[in-house]
Amino acid sequence: SEAMSGFVRASKYRHVFVEAPKTEDTYKGFRLSTATGEQQYIKGNTKFFAVALAGGGGPIAVVPYEQKGAFAAGTPIVAGHKGAVL
């Protein structure tokens, strides 16, 4: 409508912009878990982050923040179980 054409929502964040990170500053190649639920799939501290991966036994990758780039196949992972959890 014509009355709404001059309306601008008051937001303290409307002038905040961010640039996309460079490819060499990203993490990629993770086969992420597709399970649904209320759990958190990523956690981190000041040195590492852990992310749930796809696969039997609930595999978790623990990655140092300095290790940017592609997640290499064969990288050690933490597995909570030897088989699938029902």
Side-chain angles (χ1 to χ4, degrees):
S1 83
E2 212 172 272
M4 295 298 289
S5 64
F7 176 75
V8 176
R9 182 181 350 175
S11 172
K12 58 185 174 182
Y13 301 107
R14 70 178 167 200
H15 298 295
V16 176
F17 299 97
V18 65
E19 291 184 26
K22 296 177 183 173
T23 303
E24 60 269 10
D25 292 333
T26 61
Y27 305 93
K28 55 189 170 194
F30 294 101
R31 284 188 16 214
L32 299 177
S33 175
T34 58
T36 60
E38 296 180 4
Q39 61 270 25
Q40 298 170 339
Y41 296 100
I42 188 166
K43 284 288 198 177
N45 63 19
T46 58
K47 295 183 181 184
F48 302 94
F49 70 92
V51 63
L53 300 176
I60 300 168
V62 180
V63 184
Y65 287 118
E66 299 85 36
Q67 186 180 327
K68 296 176 181 152
F71 183 70
T75 300
I77 58 171
V78 178
H81 304 277
K82 290 185 179 184
V85 178
L86 300 176

